[in-house]
Amino acid sequence: MGIVKIDDGLHAEARRASTVMCRSINAQAEFWMTIGMLAEANPTLTFNEIVQRQYESARRQAVAA
């Protein structure tokens, strides 16, 4: 865990998005970073495909636990 310095405007956007998505601001920033990282690693996938893969991965982990 660490501290990441971000632009005030981006911080405000993350705060607004976190309210809409019912996430903490940290969870919203983590979501955006994860999706961005996966999008760069998989440039042919759409946003919906990335989210679906993440959902399926989380479901498999929950079943295995």
Side-chain angles (χ1 to χ4, degrees):
M1 172 157 336
I3 296 174
V4 176
K5 184 175 178 344
I6 62 170
D7 177 75
D8 289 341
L10 183 57
H11 186 270
E13 288 296 322
R15 183 174 302 284
R16 279 190 287 278
S18 71
T19 300
V20 171
M21 301 306 293
C22 300
R23 297 182 178 118
S24 70
I25 191 168
N26 288 342
Q28 184 64 42
E30 183 178 351
F31 174 76
W32 280 350
M33 284 187 269
T34 300
I35 295 299
M37 179 183 64
L38 292 169
E40 283 188 341
N42 301 281
T44 61
L45 295 179
T46 66
F47 170 78
N48 288 335
E49 290 168 332
I50 290 170
V51 170
Q52 182 63 34
R53 286 183 178 195
Q54 290 298 101
Y55 176 80
E56 290 169 4
S57 175
R59 185 183 55 76
R60 283 192 303 272
Q61 289 176 2
V63 170

